[in-house]
């Protein structure tokens, strides 16, 4: 198993909760939720039972129809799974719990019983059809899990030092040097191409063949397409998902749903569908902040948004979905930064992923300069210390940052720090911090 940061979050839950809550690991499909849950159970408990509700027998499911006799329930589980549960020393894992809503509802009573610990994993678990007939337990501690971040990716490929060195240079506010920066950018572009899906990373490590990696990612994308059909049988969710690269490439101030769906439809009519797609954690949604200040979530325009793919590797494959497979040549050119296409939207997607993984909600802001009648856009806004930090993302033309400058002039009293995230070495342009993209994780 690859080393994952969510393991530490589970350790913290186990220590602090002491059986008073169940851990609910939420995340998109194929990010490794089940693997880390079972690994945690093996290492941190004397015994465990893993119930995978995607394949569980009817006899197992029926046990949760009536949980009035917990002694009977536990005896049956031990018989069916050939495990010996020990009080306060064992854990029961409800894997893919959204497929058995009654098991999730039972958590309230199981936690109150306090004999064992409980870990739940789920995808699309907040979709109404999965919870509409049950009482959602309040005795859950939600733990968000994402595709492997850049540090986890480095661990996977055997690099245990670069992350700490990069962090030291970031904290000192000093450049690393052109040669080192080029090497680090090449490593980071490898992460952008392979992504953080454990199966894709494993395929890269085992084969060193981008075609094999791409094949794994296409299989995952097909699974997501199946999930979207379950959310929305009309196929609109799938069309919205497939259109993400094209929408970002248009460099417009919002996602145009009518263009993606090829029909006259307004974003206001799809707010519930967009929310469900975001809930699935398969996509990341950045909303327009009408008032870019602390507490931006209170001033967002739900009908004005941008959408990103949860994983940079999946995004790269989705960019070239119109081909049978993404040829190794394309990967090599992307890796060496020689592909002629403007790849600014590829960098925007990985920034969205990195900001989300470090606990930030996604916001952006557009405005017009009344003197020039020119529209400006700040790609991302984050809050720090009751102030706002605007981020402008560049893959080329890095010497200019007009949107950032005009935004900071307009909202000068709200700004803590301003960042230009780009592909060059660490530098400062007056009061603008020019940050190589691999340092973004530290802001």
């Amino acid at each position: 198993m690859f080393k994952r940061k969510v393991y530490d979050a589970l350790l913290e839950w186990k220590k602090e909760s002491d059986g008073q809550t169940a851990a609910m690991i939420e995340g998109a499909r194929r990010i490794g939720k089940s693997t880390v849950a079972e690994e945690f159970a093996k290492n941190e408990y004397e015994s465990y039972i893993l119930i995978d509700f995607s394949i569980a027998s009817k006899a197992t499911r029926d046990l949760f129809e009536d949980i009035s006799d917990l002694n009977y329930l536990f005896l049956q589980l031990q018989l069916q799974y050939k495990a010996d549960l020990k009080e306060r020393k064992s854990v029961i894992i409800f894997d893919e719990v959204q497929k058995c809503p009654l098991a999730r509802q039972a958590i309230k009573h199981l936690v109150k019983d306090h004999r064992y610990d409980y870990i739940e994993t789920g995808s699309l678990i907040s979709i109404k059809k999965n919870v509409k007939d049950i009482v959602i337990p309040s005795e859950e501690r939600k733990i968000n899990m994402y595709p492997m971040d850049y540090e986890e990716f480095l661990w996977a490929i055997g690099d245990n030092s670069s992350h700490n060195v990069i962090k030291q240079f970031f904290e000192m506010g000093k450049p690393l040097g052109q040669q080192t920066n080029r090497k680090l950018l090449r490593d980071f572009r490898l992460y952008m191409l392979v992504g953080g899906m454990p199966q894709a990373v494993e395929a890269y490590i085992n084969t060193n063949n981008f075609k094999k990696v791409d094949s794994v990612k296409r299989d995952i994308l097909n699974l997501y397409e199946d999930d979207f059909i379950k959310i929305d049988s009309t196929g609109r969710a799938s069309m919205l998902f497939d259109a993400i690269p094209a929408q970002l490439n248009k460099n417009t101030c919002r996602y145009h749903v009518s263009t993606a769906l090829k029909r006259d439809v307004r974003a206001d009519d799809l707010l519930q569908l967009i929310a469900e797609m975001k809930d699935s954690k398969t996509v990341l949604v950045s909303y327009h902040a009408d008032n870019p200040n602390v507490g931006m979530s209170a001033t967002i325009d739900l009908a004005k948004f941008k959408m990103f793919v949860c994983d940079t590797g999946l995004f790269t494959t989705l960019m070239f979905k119109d081909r049978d497979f993404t040829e190794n040549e394309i990967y090599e050119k992307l890796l060496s930064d020689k592909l002629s296409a403007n790849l600014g939207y590829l960098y925007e997607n990985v920034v969205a992923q990195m900001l989300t993984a470090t606990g930030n909600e996604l916001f952006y802001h557009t405005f017009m300069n009344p003197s020039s009648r020119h529209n400006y856009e700040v790609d991302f806004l984050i809050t720090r210390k009751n102030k706002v930090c605007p981020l402008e993302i560049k893959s080329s033309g890095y010497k200019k940052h007009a949107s950032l400058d005009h935004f900071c002039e307009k909202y000068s009293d709200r700004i803590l720090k301003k960042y230009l995230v780009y592909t060059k070495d660490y530098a400062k342009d007056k009061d603008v911090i020019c940050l190589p993209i691999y340092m973004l994780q530290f802001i």
Side-chain angles (χ1 to χ4, degrees):
M1 182 191 120
F2 295 121
K3 182 180 177 183
R4 304 298 299 273
K5 294 178 181 178
V6 73
Y7 194 101
D8 291 333
L10 287 169
L11 281 174
E12 183 180 354
W13 157 77
K14 184 176 186 290
K15 180 180 178 181
E16 292 183 357
S17 175
D18 190 29
Q20 300 302 314
T21 62
M24 166 63 87
I25 307 176
E26 291 186 318
R29 294 185 71 179
R30 295 300 177 90
I31 61 170
K33 300 184 300 296
S34 304
T35 301
V36 76
E38 185 168 16
E39 188 72 12
F40 184 79
K42 287 178 180 177
N43 295 340
E44 308 300 333
Y45 294 88
E46 291 188 14
S47 65
Y48 72 95
I49 288 175
L50 188 153
I51 307 173
D52 182 351
F53 284 110
S54 66
I55 58 173
S57 66
K58 184 177 183 301
T60 299
R61 292 170 177 272
D62 288 347
L63 290 174
F64 296 94
E65 295 282 348
D66 180 2
I67 59 168
S68 58
D69 187 347
L70 290 180
N71 290 329
Y72 177 78
L73 171 68
F74 295 138
L75 284 172
Q76 284 294 325
L77 289 177
Q78 290 176 89
L79 285 171
Q80 291 183 22
Y81 287 89
K82 298 179 175 58
D84 182 19
L85 294 176
K86 301 177 181 180
E87 189 167 334
R88 301 304 315 136
K89 295 179 180 179
S90 298
V91 62
I92 301 176
I93 302 171
F94 290 170
D95 196 21
E96 299 292 351
V97 71
Q98 80 278 359
K99 295 183 179 295
C100 186
L102 287 176
R104 187 180 181 192
Q105 180 174 259
I107 285 295
K108 177 181 181 66
H109 307 284
L110 295 172
V111 167
K112 184 179 179 180
D113 175 73
H114 203 245
R115 264 179 269 188
Y116 314 114
D117 282 356
Y118 300 89
I119 299 174
E120 304 167 87
T121 78
S123 307
L124 303 173
I125 58 175
S126 296
I127 303 305
K128 285 186 176 180
K129 66 178 182 179
N130 290 328
V131 297
K132 63 181 180 179
D133 297 323
I134 71 168
V135 177
I136 299 177
S138 59
E139 296 78 8
E140 286 178 342
R141 178 180 296 185
K142 289 181 172 58
I143 298 176
N144 289 320
M145 186 174 178
Y146 303 100
M148 297 167 71
D149 67 16
Y150 185 46
E151 184 178 12
E152 291 173 321
F153 177 78
L154 290 176
W155 291 339
I157 63 174
D159 183 347
N160 296 302
S161 60
S162 292
H163 179 269
N164 292 333
V165 173
I166 296 169
K167 186 177 182 180
Q168 289 177 34
F169 275 90
F170 171 81
E171 292 173 345
M172 291 188 296
K174 293 184 177 181
L176 294 93
Q178 289 187 3
Q179 185 174 351
T180 302
N181 179 64
R182 281 196 295 269
K183 190 267 182 189
L184 291 173
L185 279 171
R186 181 177 173 84
D187 292 345
F188 187 81
R189 284 195 295 268
L190 175 63
Y191 170 64
M192 292 172 70
L193 299 177
V194 175
M197 291 294 179
Q199 286 177 298
V201 175
E202 186 176 32
Y204 168 73
I205 293 170
N206 291 340
T207 69
N208 198 35
N209 185 319
F210 283 133
K211 183 177 179 181
K212 299 288 187 183
V213 175
D214 191 72
S215 178
V216 169
K217 292 189 291 178
R218 285 176 184 268
D219 288 343
I220 296 172
L221 288 172
N222 288 335
L223 285 175
Y224 286 1
E225 297 281 0
D226 292 341
D227 282 340
F228 288 136
I229 292 298
K230 295 172 186 175
I231 295 175
D232 175 50
S233 60
T234 68
R236 293 176 302 175
S238 296
M239 294 176 70
L240 291 171
F241 180 75
D242 286 346
I244 289 175
Q247 288 285 320
L248 290 176
N249 191 33
K250 291 179 184 296
N251 199 29
T252 56
C253 64
R254 69 176 76 187
Y255 190 109
H256 291 281
V257 297
S258 58
T259 303
L261 299 179
K262 298 180 175 61
R263 67 188 73 172
D264 187 16
V265 60
R266 298 167 61 243
D268 286 325
D269 301 326
L270 298 175
L271 295 185
Q272 181 62 40
L273 180 59
I274 300 301
E276 290 177 345
M277 293 178 69
K278 181 176 183 287
D279 239 1
S280 76
K281 303 188 186 304
T282 302
V283 302
L284 309 174
V285 180
S286 178
Y287 288 106
H288 188 274
D290 292 342
N291 181 18
N293 207 341
V294 176
M296 284 181 285
S297 58
T299 67
I300 61 174
D301 184 345
L302 292 175
K304 194 174 182 180
F305 62 89
K306 291 191 173 186
M307 196 180 296
F308 304 91
V309 181
C310 69
D311 176 67
T312 175
L314 295 182
F315 182 84
T316 303
T317 295
L318 195 62
M319 285 168 57
F320 301 104
K321 192 183 176 184
D322 58 326
R323 309 191 183 197
D324 288 339
F325 66 88
T326 308
E327 291 91 334
N328 280 0
E329 181 183 1
I330 293 176
Y331 272 96
E332 290 294 349
K333 286 185 176 181
L334 280 168
L335 187 60
S336 58
D337 205 22
K338 292 181 179 179
L339 199 64
S340 59
N342 179 8
L343 296 177
Y345 62 122
L346 176 57
Y347 286 90
E348 277 190 53
N349 196 95
V350 75
V351 167
Q353 178 182 349
M354 294 173 77
L355 290 176
T356 300
T358 50
N360 298 282
E361 291 291 330
L362 301 181
F363 304 100
Y364 73 103
H365 183 70
T366 59
F367 61 100
M368 179 177 287
N369 187 329
S371 60
S372 64
R373 304 297 295 173
H374 183 81
N375 284 316
Y376 294 102
E377 177 181 318
V378 175
D379 297 313
F380 295 98
L381 298 169
I382 59 176
T383 56
R384 296 289 187 273
K385 298 181 180 178
N386 295 321
K387 293 283 187 176
V388 174
C389 296
L391 283 72
E392 188 169 343
I393 315 304
K394 294 285 188 180
S395 62
S396 60
Y398 63 92
K399 292 183 179 180
K400 297 181 180 180
H401 38 78
S403 294
L404 195 63
D405 294 338
H406 283 91
F407 177 86
C408 293
E409 181 180 350
K410 182 177 181 179
Y411 300 107
S412 58
D413 60 329
R414 307 178 185 183
I415 308 301
L416 178 64
K417 294 181 180 179
K418 40 190 170 181
Y419 295 96
L420 176 71
V421 181
Y422 70 157
T423 58
K424 301 296 180 180
D425 201 355
Y426 185 97
K428 284 190 177 181
D429 184 3
K430 297 179 181 179
D431 58 347
V432 176
I433 300 173
C434 301
L435 201 68
I437 192 167
Y438 52 77
M439 282 189 178
L440 178 66
Q441 57 196 311
F442 303 121
I443 65 173

